[in-house]
PDB file of all heavy atoms in Angstrom:
ATOM      1  N   GLN A   1      19.134  19.274   8.805  1.00 57.00           N
ATOM      2  CA  GLN A   1      18.147  18.197   8.620  1.00 57.00           C
ATOM      3  C   GLN A   1      17.485  18.217   7.237  1.00 57.00           C
ATOM      4  O   GLN A   1      17.126  19.283   6.820  1.00 57.00           O
ATOM      5  CB  GLN A   1      17.103  18.246   9.741  1.00 57.00           C
ATOM      6  CG  GLN A   1      17.663  17.886  11.083  1.00 57.00           C
ATOM      7  CD  GLN A   1      16.679  17.969  12.188  1.00 57.00           C
ATOM      8  OE1 GLN A   1      15.554  18.498  11.922  1.00 57.00           O
ATOM      9  NE2 GLN A   1      16.928  17.478  13.319  1.00 57.00           N
ATOM     10  N   ARG A   2      17.183  17.075   6.638  1.00 66.00           N
ATOM     11  CA  ARG A   2      16.522  17.023   5.443  1.00 66.00           C
ATOM     12  C   ARG A   2      15.307  16.024   5.508  1.00 66.00           C
ATOM     13  O   ARG A   2      15.465  15.039   6.250  1.00 66.00           O
ATOM     14  CB  ARG A   2      17.411  16.561   4.285  1.00 66.00           C
ATOM     15  CG  ARG A   2      18.521  17.533   3.987  1.00 66.00           C
ATOM     16  CD  ARG A   2      19.473  17.105   2.922  1.00 66.00           C
ATOM     17  NE  ARG A   2      18.568  17.145   1.765  1.00 66.00           N
ATOM     18  CZ  ARG A   2      19.052  16.898   0.517  1.00 66.00           C
ATOM     19  NH1 ARG A   2      20.258  16.656   0.292  1.00 66.00           N
ATOM     20  NH2 ARG A   2      18.160  16.915  -0.490  1.00 66.00           N
ATOM     21  N   ALA A   3      14.302  16.303   4.820  1.00 70.00           N
ATOM     22  CA  ALA A   3      13.193  15.468   4.822  1.00 70.00           C
ATOM     23  C   ALA A   3      13.530  14.208   3.925  1.00 70.00           C
ATOM     24  O   ALA A   3      14.264  14.164   2.979  1.00 70.00           O
ATOM     25  CB  ALA A   3      11.970  16.002   4.143  1.00 70.00           C
ATOM     26  N   SER A   4      13.102  12.993   4.447  1.00 75.00           N
ATOM     27  CA  SER A   4      13.326  11.737   3.766  1.00 75.00           C
ATOM     28  C   SER A   4      12.032  11.431   2.871  1.00 75.00           C
ATOM     29  O   SER A   4      11.052  11.029   3.333  1.00 75.00           O
ATOM     30  CB  SER A   4      13.565  10.658   4.711  1.00 75.00           C
ATOM     31  OG  SER A   4      12.511  10.458   5.634  1.00 75.00           O
ATOM     32  N   LEU A   5      12.155  11.800   1.536  1.00 74.00           N
ATOM     33  CA  LEU A   5      11.000  11.709   0.730  1.00 74.00           C
ATOM     34  C   LEU A   5      11.364  10.539  -0.238  1.00 74.00           C
ATOM     35  O   LEU A   5      12.517  10.440  -0.753  1.00 74.00           O
ATOM     36  CB  LEU A   5      10.830  12.964  -0.079  1.00 74.00           C
ATOM     37  CG  LEU A   5      10.420  14.206   0.728  1.00 74.00           C
ATOM     38  CD1 LEU A   5      10.317  15.351  -0.227  1.00 74.00           C
ATOM     39  CD2 LEU A   5       9.069  13.984   1.362  1.00 74.00           C
ATOM     40  N   TYR A   6      10.530   9.730  -0.545  1.00 66.00           N
ATOM     41  CA  TYR A   6      10.605   8.542  -1.400  1.00 66.00           C
ATOM     42  C   TYR A   6       9.787   8.792  -2.676  1.00 66.00           C
ATOM     43  O   TYR A   6       8.601   9.164  -2.606  1.00 66.00           O
ATOM     44  CB  TYR A   6      10.252   7.268  -0.780  1.00 66.00           C
ATOM     45  CG  TYR A   6      10.982   6.922   0.415  1.00 66.00           C
ATOM     46  CD1 TYR A   6      10.544   7.119   1.700  1.00 66.00           C
ATOM     47  CD2 TYR A   6      12.274   6.326   0.226  1.00 66.00           C
ATOM     48  CE1 TYR A   6      11.317   6.824   2.776  1.00 66.00           C
ATOM     49  CE2 TYR A   6      13.049   6.172   1.294  1.00 66.00           C
ATOM     50  CZ  TYR A   6      12.523   6.311   2.610  1.00 66.00           C
ATOM     51  OH  TYR A   6      13.403   6.064   3.667  1.00 66.00           O
ATOM     52  N   THR A   7      10.410   8.810  -3.884  1.00 76.00           N
ATOM     53  CA  THR A   7       9.726   9.162  -5.084  1.00 76.00           C
ATOM     54  C   THR A   7       9.262   7.848  -5.900  1.00 76.00           C
ATOM     55  O   THR A   7       8.668   7.887  -6.855  1.00 76.00           O
ATOM     56  CB  THR A   7      10.554   9.917  -6.016  1.00 76.00           C
ATOM     57  OG1 THR A   7      11.750   9.246  -6.229  1.00 76.00           O
ATOM     58  CG2 THR A   7      10.849  11.296  -5.410  1.00 76.00           C
ATOM     59  N   LYS A   8       9.676   6.678  -5.292  1.00 80.00           N
ATOM     60  CA  LYS A   8       9.345   5.443  -5.958  1.00 80.00           C
ATOM     61  C   LYS A   8       7.927   5.018  -5.567  1.00 80.00           C
ATOM     62  O   LYS A   8       7.455   5.362  -4.457  1.00 80.00           O
ATOM     63  CB  LYS A   8      10.336   4.364  -5.667  1.00 80.00           C
ATOM     64  CG  LYS A   8      11.733   4.653  -6.092  1.00 80.00           C
ATOM     65  CD  LYS A   8      12.718   3.512  -5.616  1.00 80.00           C
ATOM     66  CE  LYS A   8      14.051   3.771  -6.090  1.00 80.00           C
ATOM     67  NZ  LYS A   8      15.030   2.721  -5.673  1.00 80.00           N
ATOM     68  N   PRO A   9       7.242   4.350  -6.361  1.00 82.00           N
ATOM     69  CA  PRO A   9       5.899   3.794  -5.984  1.00 82.00           C
ATOM     70  C   PRO A   9       6.074   2.639  -4.974  1.00 82.00           C
ATOM     71  O   PRO A   9       7.111   2.110  -4.866  1.00 82.00           O
ATOM     72  CB  PRO A   9       5.220   3.193  -7.293  1.00 82.00           C
ATOM     73  CG  PRO A   9       6.407   3.040  -8.190  1.00 82.00           C
ATOM     74  CD  PRO A   9       7.431   4.085  -7.899  1.00 82.00           C
ATOM     75  N   ALA A  10       5.007   2.287  -4.305  1.00 79.00           N
ATOM     76  CA  ALA A  10       5.116   1.212  -3.223  1.00 79.00           C
ATOM     77  C   ALA A  10       5.455   0.029  -3.941  1.00 79.00           C
ATOM     78  O   ALA A  10       4.966  -0.332  -5.054  1.00 79.00           O
ATOM     79  CB  ALA A  10       3.766   1.162  -2.531  1.00 79.00           C
ATOM     80  N   LYS A  11       6.134  -0.953  -3.128  1.00 84.00           N
ATOM     81  CA  LYS A  11       6.443  -2.218  -3.758  1.00 84.00           C
ATOM     82  C   LYS A  11       5.241  -3.148  -3.778  1.00 84.00           C
ATOM     83  O   LYS A  11       5.102  -3.842  -4.743  1.00 84.00           O
ATOM     84  CB  LYS A  11       7.499  -2.853  -2.749  1.00 84.00           C
ATOM     85  CG  LYS A  11       8.841  -2.151  -2.799  1.00 84.00           C
ATOM     86  CD  LYS A  11       9.837  -2.845  -1.926  1.00 84.00           C
ATOM     87  CE  LYS A  11      11.198  -2.171  -1.914  1.00 84.00           C
ATOM     88  NZ  LYS A  11      12.148  -2.766  -0.965  1.00 84.00           N
ATOM     89  N   ASP A  12       4.363  -3.122  -2.829  1.00 87.00           N
ATOM     90  CA  ASP A  12       3.186  -3.969  -2.827  1.00 87.00           C
ATOM     91  C   ASP A  12       1.939  -3.058  -2.622  1.00 87.00           C
ATOM     92  O   ASP A  12       2.037  -2.105  -1.902  1.00 87.00           O
ATOM     93  CB  ASP A  12       3.216  -4.988  -1.731  1.00 87.00           C
ATOM     94  CG  ASP A  12       4.359  -5.964  -1.833  1.00 87.00           C
ATOM     95  OD1 ASP A  12       4.769  -6.343  -3.044  1.00 87.00           O
ATOM     96  OD2 ASP A  12       4.929  -6.316  -0.889  1.00 87.00           O
ATOM     97  N   LYS A  13       0.852  -3.433  -3.254  1.00 89.00           N
ATOM     98  CA  LYS A  13      -0.329  -2.676  -3.136  1.00 89.00           C
ATOM     99  C   LYS A  13      -1.031  -3.027  -1.771  1.00 89.00           C
ATOM    100  O   LYS A  13      -0.930  -4.153  -1.408  1.00 89.00           O
ATOM    101  CB  LYS A  13      -1.325  -2.896  -4.264  1.00 89.00           C
ATOM    102  CG  LYS A  13      -0.950  -2.254  -5.513  1.00 89.00           C
ATOM    103  CD  LYS A  13      -2.116  -2.364  -6.523  1.00 89.00           C
ATOM    104  CE  LYS A  13      -1.697  -1.510  -7.744  1.00 89.00           C
ATOM    105  NZ  LYS A  13      -2.841  -1.225  -8.609  1.00 89.00           N
ATOM    106  N   VAL A  14      -1.603  -2.064  -1.123  1.00 88.00           N
ATOM    107  CA  VAL A  14      -2.237  -2.348   0.124  1.00 88.00           C
ATOM    108  C   VAL A  14      -3.725  -2.737  -0.198  1.00 88.00           C
ATOM    109  O   VAL A  14      -4.422  -2.061  -0.909  1.00 88.00           O
ATOM    110  CB  VAL A  14      -2.360  -1.042   0.981  1.00 88.00           C
ATOM    111  CG1 VAL A  14      -3.108  -1.254   2.250  1.00 88.00           C
ATOM    112  CG2 VAL A  14      -0.926  -0.561   1.215  1.00 88.00           C
ATOM    113  N   GLY A  15      -4.053  -3.977   0.340  1.00 92.00           N
ATOM    114  CA  GLY A  15      -5.314  -4.508  -0.047  1.00 92.00           C
ATOM    115  C   GLY A  15      -6.542  -3.842   0.788  1.00 92.00           C
ATOM    116  O   GLY A  15      -6.206  -3.103   1.720  1.00 92.00           O
ATOM    117  N   PRO A  16      -7.764  -4.143   0.437  1.00 94.00           N
ATOM    118  CA  PRO A  16      -8.870  -3.523   1.093  1.00 94.00           C
ATOM    119  C   PRO A  16      -8.987  -3.906   2.615  1.00 94.00           C
ATOM    120  O   PRO A  16      -9.356  -3.132   3.393  1.00 94.00           O
ATOM    121  CB  PRO A  16     -10.073  -3.978   0.319  1.00 94.00           C
ATOM    122  CG  PRO A  16      -9.594  -5.139  -0.499  1.00 94.00           C
ATOM    123  CD  PRO A  16      -8.125  -4.979  -0.691  1.00 94.00           C
ATOM    124  N   VAL A  17      -8.607  -5.224   2.841  1.00 96.00           N
ATOM    125  CA  VAL A  17      -8.760  -5.692   4.286  1.00 96.00           C
ATOM    126  C   VAL A  17      -7.666  -4.921   5.106  1.00 96.00           C
ATOM    127  O   VAL A  17      -8.024  -4.551   6.258  1.00 96.00           O
ATOM    128  CB  VAL A  17      -8.487  -7.230   4.324  1.00 96.00           C
ATOM    129  CG1 VAL A  17      -8.466  -7.692   5.695  1.00 96.00           C
ATOM    130  CG2 VAL A  17      -9.560  -7.933   3.552  1.00 96.00           C
ATOM    131  N   GLU A  18      -6.482  -4.770   4.507  1.00 94.00           N
ATOM    132  CA  GLU A  18      -5.500  -4.099   5.380  1.00 94.00           C
ATOM    133  C   GLU A  18      -5.921  -2.661   5.543  1.00 94.00           C
ATOM    134  O   GLU A  18      -5.686  -1.976   6.712  1.00 94.00           O
ATOM    135  CB  GLU A  18      -4.154  -4.134   4.654  1.00 94.00           C
ATOM    136  CG  GLU A  18      -3.591  -5.498   4.619  1.00 94.00           C
ATOM    137  CD  GLU A  18      -2.335  -5.458   3.730  1.00 94.00           C
ATOM    138  OE1 GLU A  18      -2.248  -4.765   2.704  1.00 94.00           O
ATOM    139  OE2 GLU A  18      -1.434  -6.401   4.004  1.00 94.00           O
ATOM    140  N   THR A  19      -6.490  -2.014   4.542  1.00 95.00           N
ATOM    141  CA  THR A  19      -7.007  -0.583   4.698  1.00 95.00           C
ATOM    142  C   THR A  19      -8.036  -0.514   5.700  1.00 95.00           C
ATOM    143  O   THR A  19      -8.022   0.359   6.536  1.00 95.00           O
ATOM    144  CB  THR A  19      -7.554  -0.104   3.338  1.00 95.00           C
ATOM    145  OG1 THR A  19      -6.542  -0.263   2.256  1.00 95.00           O
ATOM    146  CG2 THR A  19      -7.941   1.358   3.385  1.00 95.00           C
ATOM    147  N   VAL A  20      -8.996  -1.435   5.725  1.00 97.00           N
ATOM    148  CA  VAL A  20     -10.147  -1.354   6.696  1.00 97.00           C
ATOM    149  C   VAL A  20      -9.541  -1.645   8.145  1.00 97.00           C
ATOM    150  O   VAL A  20      -9.993  -0.866   9.049  1.00 97.00           O
ATOM    151  CB  VAL A  20     -11.260  -2.463   6.315  1.00 97.00           C
ATOM    152  CG1 VAL A  20     -12.164  -2.510   7.490  1.00 97.00           C
ATOM    153  CG2 VAL A  20     -11.921  -2.018   5.135  1.00 97.00           C
ATOM    154  N   VAL A  21      -8.678  -2.575   8.279  1.00 97.00           N
ATOM    155  CA  VAL A  21      -8.088  -2.815   9.613  1.00 97.00           C
ATOM    156  C   VAL A  21      -7.292  -1.588  10.101  1.00 97.00           C
ATOM    157  O   VAL A  21      -7.491  -1.181  11.363  1.00 97.00           O
ATOM    158  CB  VAL A  21      -7.238  -4.099   9.594  1.00 97.00           C
ATOM    159  CG1 VAL A  21      -6.482  -4.213  10.796  1.00 97.00           C
ATOM    160  CG2 VAL A  21      -8.132  -5.305   9.349  1.00 97.00           C
ATOM    161  N   GLY A  22      -6.520  -1.062   9.257  1.00 95.00           N
ATOM    162  CA  GLY A  22      -5.719   0.041   9.626  1.00 95.00           C
ATOM    163  C   GLY A  22      -6.577   1.332   9.918  1.00 95.00           C
ATOM    164  O   GLY A  22      -6.331   1.980  11.001  1.00 95.00           O
ATOM    165  N   LEU A  23      -7.566   1.690   9.185  1.00 97.00           N
ATOM    166  CA  LEU A  23      -8.433   2.736   9.564  1.00 97.00           C
ATOM    167  C   LEU A  23      -9.298   2.473  10.716  1.00 97.00           C
ATOM    168  O   LEU A  23      -9.551   3.368  11.556  1.00 97.00           O
ATOM    169  CB  LEU A  23      -9.331   3.078   8.286  1.00 97.00           C
ATOM    170  CG  LEU A  23      -8.693   3.627   7.073  1.00 97.00           C
ATOM    171  CD1 LEU A  23      -9.665   3.813   5.989  1.00 97.00           C
ATOM    172  CD2 LEU A  23      -8.162   5.036   7.406  1.00 97.00           C
ATOM    173  N   GLY A  24      -9.682   1.248  10.938  1.00 97.00           N
ATOM    174  CA  GLY A  24     -10.544   0.901  12.085  1.00 97.00           C
ATOM    175  C   GLY A  24      -9.595   1.071  13.376  1.00 97.00           C
ATOM    176  O   GLY A  24     -10.084   1.677  14.394  1.00 97.00           O
ATOM    177  N   LEU A  25      -8.391   0.541  13.405  1.00 97.00           N
ATOM    178  CA  LEU A  25      -7.494   0.621  14.591  1.00 97.00           C
ATOM    179  C   LEU A  25      -7.201   2.211  14.867  1.00 97.00           C
ATOM    180  O   LEU A  25      -7.093   2.572  16.026  1.00 97.00           O
ATOM    181  CB  LEU A  25      -6.264  -0.161  14.460  1.00 97.00           C
ATOM    182  CG  LEU A  25      -6.504  -1.661  14.424  1.00 97.00           C
ATOM    183  CD1 LEU A  25      -5.284  -2.425  14.228  1.00 97.00           C
ATOM    184  CD2 LEU A  25      -7.210  -2.074  15.845  1.00 97.00           C
ATOM    185  N   PHE A  26      -6.997   2.900  13.757  1.00 96.00           N
ATOM    186  CA  PHE A  26      -6.575   4.269  13.866  1.00 96.00           C
ATOM    187  C   PHE A  26      -7.798   5.027  14.504  1.00 96.00           C
ATOM    188  O   PHE A  26      -7.626   5.929  15.420  1.00 96.00           O
ATOM    189  CB  PHE A  26      -6.293   4.897  12.539  1.00 96.00           C
ATOM    190  CG  PHE A  26      -5.751   6.354  12.675  1.00 96.00           C
ATOM    191  CD1 PHE A  26      -4.548   6.637  13.169  1.00 96.00           C
ATOM    192  CD2 PHE A  26      -6.584   7.285  12.175  1.00 96.00           C
ATOM    193  CE1 PHE A  26      -4.131   7.885  13.322  1.00 96.00           C
ATOM    194  CE2 PHE A  26      -6.129   8.651  12.170  1.00 96.00           C
ATOM    195  CZ  PHE A  26      -4.928   8.948  12.815  1.00 96.00           C
ATOM    196  N   SER A  27      -8.997   4.769  13.999  1.00 96.00           N
ATOM    197  CA  SER A  27     -10.222   5.396  14.542  1.00 96.00           C
ATOM    198  C   SER A  27     -10.461   5.151  16.043  1.00 96.00           C
ATOM    199  O   SER A  27     -10.814   5.880  16.808  1.00 96.00           O
ATOM    200  CB  SER A  27     -11.465   5.063  13.787  1.00 96.00           C
ATOM    201  OG  SER A  27     -11.256   5.418  12.435  1.00 96.00           O
ATOM    202  N   LEU A  28     -10.202   3.775  16.306  1.00 96.00           N
ATOM    203  CA  LEU A  28     -10.342   3.397  17.744  1.00 96.00           C
ATOM    204  C   LEU A  28      -9.354   4.041  18.659  1.00 96.00           C
ATOM    205  O   LEU A  28      -9.692   4.391  19.777  1.00 96.00           O
ATOM    206  CB  LEU A  28     -10.178   1.796  17.767  1.00 96.00           C
ATOM    207  CG  LEU A  28     -10.402   1.140  19.125  1.00 96.00           C
ATOM    208  CD1 LEU A  28     -11.837   1.326  19.652  1.00 96.00           C
ATOM    209  CD2 LEU A  28      -9.952  -0.322  19.057  1.00 96.00           C
ATOM    210  N   ALA A  29      -8.123   4.229  18.178  1.00 96.00           N
ATOM    211  CA  ALA A  29      -7.103   4.929  18.953  1.00 96.00           C
ATOM    212  C   ALA A  29      -7.456   6.328  19.145  1.00 96.00           C
ATOM    213  O   ALA A  29      -7.112   6.917  20.230  1.00 96.00           O
ATOM    214  CB  ALA A  29      -5.692   4.698  18.276  1.00 96.00           C
ATOM    215  N   ILE A  30      -8.074   6.967  18.238  1.00 95.00           N
ATOM    216  CA  ILE A  30      -8.505   8.387  18.380  1.00 95.00           C
ATOM    217  C   ILE A  30      -9.793   8.571  19.127  1.00 95.00           C
ATOM    218  O   ILE A  30      -9.922   9.387  20.125  1.00 95.00           O
ATOM    219  CB  ILE A  30      -8.556   9.024  16.998  1.00 95.00           C
ATOM    220  CG1 ILE A  30      -7.245   9.028  16.254  1.00 95.00           C
ATOM    221  CG2 ILE A  30      -9.066  10.475  17.093  1.00 95.00           C
ATOM    222  CD1 ILE A  30      -6.134   9.776  16.906  1.00 95.00           C
ATOM    223  N   LEU A  31     -10.742   7.787  18.833  1.00 96.00           N
ATOM    224  CA  LEU A  31     -12.102   7.975  19.407  1.00 96.00           C
ATOM    225  C   LEU A  31     -12.302   7.123  20.646  1.00 96.00           C
ATOM    226  O   LEU A  31     -13.188   7.548  21.462  1.00 96.00           O
ATOM    227  CB  LEU A  31     -13.203   7.609  18.311  1.00 96.00           C
ATOM    228  CG  LEU A  31     -13.104   8.507  17.061  1.00 96.00           C
ATOM    229  CD1 LEU A  31     -14.157   7.983  16.059  1.00 96.00           C
ATOM    230  CD2 LEU A  31     -13.371   9.943  17.410  1.00 96.00           C
ATOM    231  N   GLY A  32     -11.503   6.138  20.908  1.00 96.00           N
ATOM    232  CA  GLY A  32     -11.790   5.223  22.035  1.00 96.00           C
ATOM    233  C   GLY A  32     -11.614   5.946  23.384  1.00 96.00           C
ATOM    234  O   GLY A  32     -12.620   5.914  24.283  1.00 96.00           O
ATOM    235  N   PRO A  33     -10.547   6.672  23.637  1.00 95.00           N
ATOM    236  CA  PRO A  33     -10.479   7.392  24.968  1.00 95.00           C
ATOM    237  C   PRO A  33     -11.540   8.380  25.182  1.00 95.00           C
ATOM    238  O   PRO A  33     -12.102   8.536  26.251  1.00 95.00           O
ATOM    239  CB  PRO A  33      -9.083   8.026  24.854  1.00 95.00           C
ATOM    240  CG  PRO A  33      -8.329   7.224  23.966  1.00 95.00           C
ATOM    241  CD  PRO A  33      -9.375   6.813  22.925  1.00 95.00           C
ATOM    242  N   SER A  34     -11.915   9.162  24.143  1.00 94.00           N
ATOM    243  CA  SER A  34     -13.010  10.202  24.319  1.00 94.00           C
ATOM    244  C   SER A  34     -14.308   9.485  24.494  1.00 94.00           C
ATOM    245  O   SER A  34     -15.144   9.986  25.311  1.00 94.00           O
ATOM    246  CB  SER A  34     -13.039  11.134  23.108  1.00 94.00           C
ATOM    247  OG  SER A  34     -13.220  10.306  21.965  1.00 94.00           O
ATOM    248  N   GLY A  35     -14.636   8.440  23.859  1.00 94.00           N
ATOM    249  CA  GLY A  35     -15.768   7.694  24.107  1.00 94.00           C
ATOM    250  C   GLY A  35     -15.878   7.104  25.517  1.00 94.00           C
ATOM    251  O   GLY A  35     -16.962   7.059  26.123  1.00 94.00           O
ATOM    252  N   TRP A  36     -14.812   6.623  25.953  1.00 93.00           N
ATOM    253  CA  TRP A  36     -14.754   6.099  27.429  1.00 93.00           C
ATOM    254  C   TRP A  36     -15.129   7.275  28.370  1.00 93.00           C
ATOM    255  O   TRP A  36     -15.824   6.975  29.266  1.00 93.00           O
ATOM    256  CB  TRP A  36     -13.355   5.544  27.770  1.00 93.00           C
ATOM    257  CG  TRP A  36     -13.177   5.147  29.080  1.00 93.00           C
ATOM    258  CD1 TRP A  36     -12.790   5.862  30.164  1.00 93.00           C
ATOM    259  CD2 TRP A  36     -13.426   3.773  29.566  1.00 93.00           C
ATOM    260  NE1 TRP A  36     -12.757   5.145  31.339  1.00 93.00           N
ATOM    261  CE2 TRP A  36     -13.247   3.696  30.950  1.00 93.00           C
ATOM    262  CE3 TRP A  36     -13.898   2.593  29.027  1.00 93.00           C
ATOM    263  CZ2 TRP A  36     -13.318   2.716  31.783  1.00 93.00           C
ATOM    264  CZ3 TRP A  36     -14.040   1.526  29.831  1.00 93.00           C
ATOM    265  CH2 TRP A  36     -13.750   1.542  31.207  1.00 93.00           C
ATOM    266  N   ILE A  37     -14.513   8.357  28.179  1.00 92.00           N
ATOM    267  CA  ILE A  37     -14.842   9.439  29.072  1.00 92.00           C
ATOM    268  C   ILE A  37     -16.285   9.880  28.974  1.00 92.00           C
ATOM    269  O   ILE A  37     -16.965  10.164  30.029  1.00 92.00           O
ATOM    270  CB  ILE A  37     -13.958  10.655  28.751  1.00 92.00           C
ATOM    271  CG1 ILE A  37     -12.504  10.344  29.172  1.00 92.00           C
ATOM    272  CG2 ILE A  37     -14.347  11.937  29.464  1.00 92.00           C
ATOM    273  CD1 ILE A  37     -11.460  11.254  28.611  1.00 92.00           C
ATOM    274  N   LEU A  38     -16.818   9.847  27.805  1.00 93.00           N
ATOM    275  CA  LEU A  38     -18.160  10.362  27.651  1.00 93.00           C
ATOM    276  C   LEU A  38     -19.117   9.198  28.244  1.00 93.00           C
ATOM    277  O   LEU A  38     -20.192   9.637  28.834  1.00 93.00           O
ATOM    278  CB  LEU A  38     -18.533  10.478  26.104  1.00 93.00           C
ATOM    279  CG  LEU A  38     -17.979  11.793  25.542  1.00 93.00           C
ATOM    280  CD1 LEU A  38     -18.227  11.844  24.138  1.00 93.00           C
ATOM    281  CD2 LEU A  38     -18.554  13.051  26.263  1.00 93.00           C
ATOM    282  N   ALA A  39     -18.818   8.050  28.117  1.00 93.00           N
ATOM    283  CA  ALA A  39     -19.665   6.942  28.621  1.00 93.00           C
ATOM    284  C   ALA A  39     -19.588   6.885  30.178  1.00 93.00           C
ATOM    285  O   ALA A  39     -20.552   6.477  30.767  1.00 93.00           O
ATOM    286  CB  ALA A  39     -19.095   5.605  28.101  1.00 93.00           C
TER     287      ALA A  39
END
């Protein structure tokens, strides 16, 4: 098995809206279940 590494830069830049949405959904997926349990 070999790692699939890409040495080329990204084709399109990720915008700030996409970054915020991605980080928000990721945070919700991680913190949501624990918040539900604590609530």
